[in-house]
Amino acid sequence: MSVAVLGAGAFGTALAVALAARGPVVLWGRRIDWQGENPHLPGVTLPAGITVTDRIADALSAGAAGSGASVLLVAIPAQALSGFLDANRAVLDRRALVSCAKGIDLASGRSPAGMLGAACPGATVAVLTGPSFAADIARGLPTALTLACADAAAGQRLQHALATPALRLYRTTDVTGAELGGALKNVIAIAAGAAIGAGLGDSARAAIVTRGFAEMARFAAARGADPDTLAGLSGLGDLILTATSAQSRNFRFGVALGQGAPFDPAITVEGAATARAVAGLAARGGIEMPISALVAGLAEGAIDVKQAMDQLLARPLKEE
């Protein structure tokens, strides 16, 4: 299968670097004003097997004998995906589209795979998610991810097409669970970062991560996901990584909130928008999500960390 990556941010570029070991890859971005090294992924020189372009037609036509890319990895941030699909849905339909974004669209309440499926009903939609940092993937460090596709046979083909010696893919048909794990862990990572930034300690972080995971599982189950999926790479695995490492943008954003410090607005923090989307969906569905609701308030500036912790600690005592 020939592969193109749509989205030249850090993660899309890292995937292109990893997959270039298998064969030629086309990397598309809206603005390509760099050569050899993507400023979003410093220190990584692109291998010769990657063709970089800002022309979507070039990315879509890449492939053996000009037959077109058979797999498109869509690494476009969740909040920017709707606009991208509005402009390109006709040329994306009837292809294999693998979503590599994590989040929930604020306007529609849909996941990235849900948006891809709605915009391109003839496409085979899959999700690539799990505990990973772009720099690790680009450096060829061992990484395990979840590949979710409702079509089991198509998922198996994609698994073999996208796995590399350093990038191990585990397959599932639970697209909902895999996506929600990847989206919701960013929300909890912000809360964990806020606890550390405010000087509340590692014990407080552990409590937030544990109770946050319970929220993730509760929300996912209410949306029809298999609870076992949340206990895997795309849920618990990704949560552990994101809530404990300063490489995580969501964790660093939380630390800044806890310290009352500014955070670079140019850095994409998907968990902030996801918290707002999830809080609304949970309220309408009667799903108890206290940590997610408080993260939404923190991200909007409606409350501070002390108020958030006071509200959590004042909740009624209950069984675990």
Side-chain angles (χ1 to χ4, degrees):
M1 292 183 176
S2 55
V3 177
V5 180
L6 306 181
F11 195 66
T13 302
L15 289 174
V17 171
L19 293 170
R22 296 185 57 116
V25 177
V26 177
L27 175 64
W28 172 87
R30 286 188 179 89
R31 291 179 299 277
I32 304 296
D33 53 5
W34 44 267
Q35 291 183 348
E37 182 178 307
N38 187 340
H40 293 293
L41 198 60
V44 176
T45 300
L46 300 191
I50 297 178
T51 300
V52 181
T53 181
D54 58 4
R55 286 172 44 83
I56 192 74
D58 292 343
L60 299 180
S61 64
S67 59
S70 53
V71 181
L72 300 177
L73 274 63
V74 185
I76 295 179
Q79 304 309 320
L81 184 56
S82 178
F84 172 78
L85 290 174
D86 286 345
N88 297 290
R89 67 178 70 207
V91 295
L92 296 175
D93 206 2
R94 296 176 297 280
R95 299 174 183 264
L97 305 177
V98 181
S99 170
C100 304
K102 298 174 181 178
I104 297 176
D105 181 52
L106 265 172
S108 67
R110 285 178 170 150
S111 68
M115 288 189 280
L116 288 172
C120 306
T124 298
V125 176
V127 173
L128 188 62
T129 185
S132 56
F133 289 133
D136 292 348
I137 292 175
R139 291 167 58 199
L141 299 180
T143 303
L145 299 177
T146 297
L147 179 72
C149 185
D151 183 331
Q156 190 169 24
R157 291 193 296 272
L158 289 168
Q159 181 184 34
H160 287 285
L162 300 175
T164 75
L167 191 61
R168 183 173 177 83
L169 305 185
Y170 288 83
R171 192 176 67 252
T172 180
T173 56
D174 184 12
V175 173
T176 298
E179 277 206 298
L180 287 177
L184 296 172
K185 61 88 185 181
N186 284 334
V187 178
I188 307 307
I190 291 174
I196 295 300
L200 300 180
D202 287 328
S203 297
R205 170 166 52 181
I208 287 171
V209 169
T210 306
R211 296 310 304 163
F213 179 71
E215 286 192 17
M216 291 169 56
R218 188 160 55 242
F219 185 86
R223 306 282 286 190
D226 181 347
D228 287 344
T229 304
L230 273 292
L233 289 166
S234 59
L236 181 59
D238 211 354
L239 175 62
I240 291 170
L241 181 71
T242 311
T244 59
S245 174
Q247 286 192 67
S248 163
R249 294 168 300 188
N250 292 279
F251 179 77
R252 295 201 310 272
F253 176 69
V255 171
L257 288 175
Q259 294 174 338
F263 192 79
D264 185 352
I267 298 176
T268 300
V269 182
E270 286 290 0
T274 299
R276 294 167 57 197
V278 166
L281 292 170
R284 291 191 291 274
I287 307 168
E288 194 176 20
M289 303 277 285
I291 296 175
S292 299
L294 290 173
V295 170
L298 285 171
E300 293 172 342
I303 58 173
D304 59 28
V305 172
K306 183 180 184 308
Q307 291 170 321
M309 291 306 300
D310 286 347
Q311 290 184 39
L312 284 177
L313 294 173
R315 286 173 52 78
L317 298 175
K318 57 188 289 189
E319 291 185 357
E320 186 169 23

